[in-house]
Amino acid sequence: MKTSYKYLMLAAAVGLAGCQQESDQPQSDEQTVVVEKKVETKKDNKETVKQVKRVDEHSYGNIDEVNLHHFDLELTVNFEAKALEGFVDLSFKRLTDDVSELVLDTRDITVEKAQQWVDGQWQDTSFELAEKDADLGSKLTVAVNDSTNKVRVYYKTQPQASGLQWLTPEQTAGKKHPFVYSQAQAIHARSFIPIQDSPAVRVTYTANLKTPKELLALMSAFNEPDTELDGDYHFEMPQAIPPYLIALGVGNLEFKAMSDRTGVYAEPSLLEPAIAEFDDTERMVQVTEEMYGPYRWGRYDLLILPPSFPYGGMENPRLSFITPTVIAGDKSLVNLIAHELAHSWSGNLVTNATWEDFWLNEGFTSYVENRIMEELFGEERATMERALSVQGLRDEVKALPKEFTILNVDLDGRDPDDAFSGVPYTKGQMFLTYLEKKFGREVFDAFLVEYFNAHAFQSLTTEEFKKYLKKNLLDKYPDVVSPDEIEIWIHEAMLPPTMPNPTSDAFTTIDAETKAWLAAEKSLADLDSGEWTVHEWLHFINNLPEDLSQKQMTQLDKAFELTDSSNNEIAHAWLLLALKTNYDAVMPRLETYLVSIGRRKLIVPLYKQLMETEDGAVFAKRVYKMARPGYHPLAQGTLDEIVK
Ligand code: BES
Ligand code: ZN
């Protein structure tokens, strides 16, 4: 990525948010933002220029000149060509007088024609597609004359689109029909729609998707629960969302309701198991509403994706995308649903303005997720989940480049996907937990409700958040937390000494039992493991020493059948430990695991560990060759770098 500038958001006010807002969306009249632009041409050049504009270094979009606020999409889903084909009409408003072009983001998109709407008809206009940047894609510049406020772009996606995965029938659960789905976050919407692909932009949309007749199409929009299969689907999204939340999925999908407003879409064989696993969803929506105000998006449905989905979940509005790898049979991993649902407040309602503010999105969501879990499953489980996350974070920061341990991370010249880690999630969550402890839950809850209301349907920078926090919490309750402490949390590397350290009594008991076993004071049969929950097993495995002998590993496996665990998180933890201790009996299971799952969080650490030894690398290369065609382009990208 070639960026010669670094942009620092200063007193940015509200987003360039969409204009066609629903009645419950507070409208703001402040449309411009102040940005300080620091020119970094030379090290010693400290020149700063104040401008009235907001810039996102991960978008070519001229968002300081043009406010894209709505699009209408017409696409045919062509499985043979692995392409979306059609056009998009982009509606915009001018923020300045002398606008002569609309600048968009694209990646691997074939642009056929551009038109502008002038005097009641479409007129061809010129466009230029720049050379591709490895991280940002290709800038698309469309010429516009003074009187137009709508542009049409005819285009086709390419089979390698980073934001789409095209699955053959063999790669689906039912094996009979193809499947395609999108994953736009962070900057992949541009690989299937030419758009100003910045989270500072908010758009409403309509879409028509043409698909093979027997397949169902869904989008991050209103999905009619009893839609008839006819290969022609219409969608409306009347609430303004950032481009990274545009999503579609097409496959042999069936729907089943869980309540009036919640339900599951899945391939037929997965529908019942998914319903059984996730039937607390309605209660989750209710408890979140009680804590943080109304759910503002109408329906809340889940789309269960094939196991190659590279994430656990994705909070696409009205329709969270969910990995099937959390269907454990015992609801042990449903914090994922709490998490994606929580984004309906923290993230989808109040969005990060740039990817450097990503912690505002995931940190708040991890905090809300855990509050939902506490309401539904009690304090003990919520504490265990926090303790597991914090231990994971402490281990992870040891290996991370120091600059990636900062909440308000500097992404200058970097792909936002490269800075992905537990830091924005768990350090962010612990920052809010810290504030909650300092100010008390009642005060902090009231603050959060107000925060969500005040910024609903807007995008926010870290600096804006800090200003809001100071005015509405720190100054209101003086001498509780100093501004310096806030600076340390948000801008300093590593983990602050004031970070809460969640501890669970159950985990402390397990630590003592583990110690007794290692000291040969207790046998495995004597451990009180009969009633351990998945979280306790995870804590147990994660805290076993890495120098366990083959004999000890064999004993563990015999006693607890860990290699055969059907819980994907437990299997992951055990397989990782097995690689670290050279316990080869797991290798066949590891192979099946790596070939059947494409969720990055579960497979990347295993490949990395394999590459540490010569034999492991041989195994990794062989298995990766088999597994790669089934992985999502994003997982392929990550793993191509690791398995060389
Ligand atoms: N929005 C994220 C997934 C994401 C982040 C996709 C960044 C692309 C770029 C989603 O909400 C998420 O955080 N998923 C987690 C869930 C977990 C924390 C419960 C995941 O996928 O593991
Ligand atoms: Zn998230």
mmCIF file of all heavy atoms in Angstrom, residues 315 339-340 343 362 365 425, ligand 2:
data_model
loop_
_atom_site.group_PDB
_atom_site.id
_atom_site.type_symbol
_atom_site.label_atom_id
_atom_site.label_comp_id
_atom_site.label_asym_id
_atom_site.label_seq_id
_atom_site.Cartn_x
_atom_site.Cartn_y
_atom_site.Cartn_z
ATOM 1 N N GLU A 315 -21.348 -9.841 11.963
ATOM 2 C CA GLU A 315 -22.553 -9.161 12.441
ATOM 3 C C GLU A 315 -23.356 -8.481 11.345
ATOM 4 O O GLU A 315 -23.857 -7.370 11.555
ATOM 5 C CB GLU A 315 -22.130 -8.143 13.505
ATOM 6 C CG GLU A 315 -21.256 -6.970 13.006
ATOM 7 C CD GLU A 315 -19.755 -7.217 12.996
ATOM 8 O OE1 GLU A 315 -19.343 -8.398 12.923
ATOM 9 O OE2 GLU A 315 -19.008 -6.233 13.049
ATOM 10 N N HIS A 339 -22.168 -12.261 20.970
ATOM 11 C CA HIS A 339 -21.217 -11.306 20.394
ATOM 12 C C HIS A 339 -21.780 -10.644 19.130
ATOM 13 O O HIS A 339 -21.820 -9.419 19.029
ATOM 14 C CB HIS A 339 -19.896 -12.017 20.092
ATOM 15 C CG HIS A 339 -18.849 -11.115 19.518
ATOM 16 N ND1 HIS A 339 -17.877 -10.513 20.287
ATOM 17 C CD2 HIS A 339 -18.639 -10.675 18.245
ATOM 18 C CE1 HIS A 339 -17.112 -9.753 19.518
ATOM 19 N NE2 HIS A 339 -17.549 -9.833 18.263
ATOM 20 N N GLU A 340 -22.227 -11.468 18.192
ATOM 21 C CA GLU A 340 -22.714 -10.891 16.921
ATOM 22 C C GLU A 340 -23.970 -10.054 17.154
ATOM 23 O O GLU A 340 -24.155 -9.013 16.534
ATOM 24 C CB GLU A 340 -22.956 -11.988 15.881
ATOM 25 C CG GLU A 340 -21.731 -12.857 15.559
ATOM 26 C CD GLU A 340 -20.431 -12.104 15.352
ATOM 27 O OE1 GLU A 340 -20.470 -10.920 14.957
ATOM 28 O OE2 GLU A 340 -19.357 -12.687 15.609
ATOM 29 N N HIS A 343 -23.214 -6.552 18.471
ATOM 30 C CA HIS A 343 -22.817 -5.585 17.441
ATOM 31 C C HIS A 343 -24.008 -4.761 16.936
ATOM 32 O O HIS A 343 -23.809 -3.706 16.339
ATOM 33 C CB HIS A 343 -22.188 -6.308 16.247
ATOM 34 C CG HIS A 343 -20.710 -6.547 16.375
ATOM 35 N ND1 HIS A 343 -19.795 -5.540 16.544
ATOM 36 C CD2 HIS A 343 -19.984 -7.704 16.310
ATOM 37 C CE1 HIS A 343 -18.570 -6.057 16.585
ATOM 38 N NE2 HIS A 343 -18.655 -7.374 16.454
ATOM 39 N N GLU A 362 -15.014 -3.674 18.380
ATOM 40 C CA GLU A 362 -14.883 -5.014 18.978
ATOM 41 C C GLU A 362 -14.729 -4.991 20.501
ATOM 42 O O GLU A 362 -15.169 -5.913 21.188
ATOM 43 C CB GLU A 362 -13.724 -5.787 18.343
ATOM 44 C CG GLU A 362 -13.925 -6.102 16.863
ATOM 45 C CD GLU A 362 -15.158 -6.956 16.561
ATOM 46 O OE1 GLU A 362 -15.731 -7.566 17.480
ATOM 47 O OE2 GLU A 362 -15.554 -7.005 15.374
ATOM 48 N N THR A 365 -18.122 -4.479 21.883
ATOM 49 C CA THR A 365 -18.937 -5.666 21.613
ATOM 50 C C THR A 365 -18.555 -6.817 22.542
ATOM 51 O O THR A 365 -19.420 -7.532 23.048
ATOM 52 C CB THR A 365 -18.789 -6.071 20.135
ATOM 53 O OG1 THR A 365 -19.302 -5.000 19.348
ATOM 54 C CG2 THR A 365 -19.562 -7.339 19.818
ATOM 55 N N TYR A 425 -10.228 -6.596 20.898
ATOM 56 C CA TYR A 425 -11.309 -7.332 21.564
ATOM 57 C C TYR A 425 -11.150 -7.296 23.087
ATOM 58 O O TYR A 425 -11.938 -6.689 23.802
ATOM 59 C CB TYR A 425 -11.312 -8.799 21.109
ATOM 60 C CG TYR A 425 -11.807 -9.012 19.694
ATOM 61 C CD1 TYR A 425 -10.985 -8.757 18.601
ATOM 62 C CD2 TYR A 425 -13.093 -9.460 19.452
ATOM 63 C CE1 TYR A 425 -11.442 -8.955 17.307
ATOM 64 C CE2 TYR A 425 -13.552 -9.671 18.161
ATOM 65 C CZ TYR A 425 -12.723 -9.410 17.091
ATOM 66 O OH TYR A 425 -13.176 -9.602 15.820
HETATM 67 ZN ZN ZN B 2 -17.054 -8.740 16.638
#
